[in-house]
Amino acid sequence: MLGPNRYGKAEVRVVRVTRGAEHELRDWNVSIALSGDLSATHLSGANDEVLPTDTQKNTVYAFAKRLGGVEPEVFALALAAHFVDTAEAITRARVTVDEYGWSRLGQHSFARRGGAVRTCCVVGGLRDLVLLNTTDSEFRGFARDEYTTLAEAGDRVLATSVEAQWRMRGPDPDWAASFAAARQAMVDAFVGTYSYSLQQTLYAMGSAVLAAVPAVCEVRLALPNKHHFLVDLSPFGMTNDDEVYFAADRPYGLIEGTVLADDAPEPGLAWS
Amino acid sequence: MLGPNRYGKAEVRVVRVTRGAEHELRDWNVSIALSGDLSATHLSGANDEVLPTDTQKNTVYAFAKRLGGVEPEVFALALAAHFVDTAEAITRARVTVDEYGWSRLGQHSFARRGGAVRTCCVVGGLRDLVLLNTTDSEFRGFARDEYTTLAEAGDRVLATSVEAQWRMRGPDPDWAASFAAARQAMVDAFVGTYSYSLQQTLYAMGSAVLAAVPAVCEVRLALPNKHHFLVDLSPFGMTNDDEVYFAADRPYGLIEGTVLADDAPEPGLAWS
Amino acid sequence: MLGPNRYGKAEVRVVRVTRGAEHELRDWNVSIALSGDLSATHLSGANDEVLPTDTQKNTVYAFAKRLGGVEPEVFALALAAHFVDTAEAITRARVTVDEYGWSRLGQHSFARRGGAVRTCCVVGGLRDLVLLNTTDSEFRGFARDEYTTLAEAGDRVLATSVEAQWRMRGPDPDWAASFAAARQAMVDAFVGTYSYSLQQTLYAMGSAVLAAVPAVCEVRLALPNKHHFLVDLSPFGMTNDDEVYFAADRPYGLIEGTVLADDAPEPGLAWS
Amino acid sequence: MLGPNRYGKAEVRVVRVTRGAEHELRDWNVSIALSGDLSATHLSGANDEVLPTDTQKNTVYAFAKRLGGVEPEVFALALAAHFVDTAEAITRARVTVDEYGWSRLGQHSFARRGGAVRTCCVVGGLRDLVLLNTTDSEFRGFARDEYTTLAEAGDRVLATSVEAQWRMRGPDPDWAASFAAARQAMVDAFVGTYSYSLQQTLYAMGSAVLAAVPAVCEVRLALPNKHHFLVDLSPFGMTNDDEVYFAADRPYGLIEGTVLADDAPEPGLAWS
């Protein structure tokens, strides 16, 4: 019995230049997943209803030309609507856009920003925003069992790589302003929160987005705890006054949570 | 309002040697996610109910010692049960184990196999099993629209990197035998199916697992279409008789689907 | 017969916080390679002359404590001198430091910058500085043979990821100022050069560093040509007026070159 | 002043199928670097002597067609000779081929082997061959200084990822047989050597290649010490009888060395 299924072209790397006195640049990685009644191709290999993933790739390019340098969320929604409207068997389209940031160097010159990548997929978001506080973080009073060896920490480095997604209320939000405000609210909350646990910081960051951007009704956050362990310098006759750390790769703590507005509408298929 | 949340230690790299006349090796990457009533730490930073992720790491090591070289699924279930049974606030534990394969070279010597990684997380699975057919694959009769430029292919290379997960019926399946049989069934189906579409191959692979391993009731597959494009050699006065290909990185087609036994029980939380 | 050899600890991830009214942060990845008369351990496994790589790691931490937040080049030179001075068998030490950049968010809060990574290893350098010009680049008049199909390009996107290393003249240069000036000179040359070939741009960038930083006597550059191919929109009845590009991953052109001051002294072992 | 320079196309991913009763497969990643008198394009952007990297890519495909499924070293040498013979300004060509291994599943079906990648570039080699001994390795009697905290190890896990290159004497060696014999000799030496230091194992592996393959006159090895640290289980009332290890990522020891035949001829430009 065939269960849920979908297909599409992943990672179409398209760069859109808008030429004027100053050139504008959009640098995207676009992925598409289409679903609907596609049982024929699964069961018998009949492809009448299968719009090739190559065609989907072409459509990304054509829409990049037609729509110009719009916000990535606008692009994603227009592309998704196109497939649902025109491909007979397709009843649902999921379009994901990662936008890589570039800083302007001149009228037609740019430097890749690195750092946070803006994401969207019906919901908005970002990932790879790496933040660090050198103090104002502790971790104490935690549960203990027979396997617990961790010492309480009264002052620790707190570092994370923010992955966030936010769901909007209305049909036509200001995506660019929402993105900027949500990003800033998360940064401010991270900087301004005296942290007793990373969960608490997570909740503060999610709440700050809801407060700063009323059009957002739900925030999902995944925060790896990028451990910075104090090095024991005592064998060398030195005191480590919270100065020298080993930045560990693996394992790491991973804290995931959702913060909702009290009046958040049902998500429908937004997250799936 | 706090929504769904969880936390845990990710990517604990543990190697278990069982010493006898011949040494046995298990090489795992273990990730844990715990959920339950953890609102206090989110809302006020009170950590009474928070078992540190450092403790979870320790528990992985202690259980590796205690349980010995068991199948990774047995390890995952025992570890999950431990946290739910002993940590007061925790009502749900999700434990994922990736097992890296090693080939024996001698009584205590091994070579890393590379290739497929065995995975498990309540459900069994594998990823990174890369397969390729040099013929017996075509793609024709597909839907066309104004953006379609793809030519029909009567004979193409079909290559994919299999990511599969399977759900078991009973409480205590033979994990090792199921894994071996499921893997072999997928390989045989890939090799033996004349393919009209990758969806059809996906369905054949999923069906083959259900037929070969009655304890499996559901199979989820994600198959990237690793495109191999024929190079146009005509500018150099050569004919490319389906011999020289460019192996493309991005973009790629991505085909995802589920195959269910007719009498599959409800999944509950198996997939979430 | 034993030939050249060396050993050491690679990728020691150390973070140094200097605490004052404002916290300062240095985030480094340090690698060490020691060489000298180490034939005994190779030929017979006698380790009397082998300073453990674990000790080398410890020394990184101890020197981070002792030296404080110095420039990475100063740290590398001090560490190298330590091993040569104190480890009897060691006659040569190569220390490499990659410095990850952080932007200040507050008195003790930082965001990882991404983008260019500062490197050093006796010589200074950087990598992962990604630059792009949307115009002022052409590629014409190139050599042709029977395998050439490339069309001449009168206006193309030029993008690269700069990897650069520069060798200093004197014993005690101002590393921080040199780094900043070299980086800026390369950016300015990339932006300001009308490019007829990426080689020409490379030479312009290297020359600009020599002109801007007299203490630099040699610049080595490796510039991948990150191809941006114009998408053919004509099948869809559209004209692509240099606006929609496919950002290719592989293959890519790779241009490497050296620019030397006329009076550059011999490099000795600087590059090996 | 322009110093040494070169350019070329990197990472051309070509797959060559030879069709017969059984299909044969060669899967390669080819990189080319050309040098010669290329000062014009650097100094003035005149491209008369610049064979486009696009043409080099085309040539890879055309030679794959023409030469058929030859050994990768034969392919590399033929391609290098072509550029030096036909491109006027080019006096030196460096061609690198990585060959990915596939296991046969059927007449025209294959599974990617993972594990070791065969490499070549005038010299032969391999990388990513991961080996592990669970015993017969110790590390004692090493040098100590004020920063040494490492305990002596009488029985430790020894694991490494072999990167090896070997230089051949004659003009026309049997590349396939040499590769197989060199690989086997290194594996056997790793398995059969009771190790007092990784340097000693390195030397044994290099010597074994020289003994097993008389056509090889020089072996270069880079062996990361993939540390497996014993976990301290005593806080949990358990003894760790050399059974439970933490597989660390970073930092790692890195041991590099060369083993030469007594009568090895001068390398010329083989390594540069």
Side-chain angles (χ1 to χ4, degrees), chain C residues 219-242:
Chain C
V219 183
R220 294 190 172 191
L221 285 157
L223 300 184
N225 192 343
K226 296 172 75 77
H227 302 305
H228 285 64
F229 296 118
L230 265 182
V231 177
D232 177 13
L233 300 175
S234 62
F236 327 128
M238 293 172 160
T239 310
N240 192 345
D241 306 312
D242 294 342

Side-chain angles (χ1 to χ4, degrees), chain B residues 150-162:
Chain B
L150 185 70
E152 303 213 325
D155 188 0
R156 64 172 183 172
V157 166
L158 186 70
T160 192
S161 176
V162 180

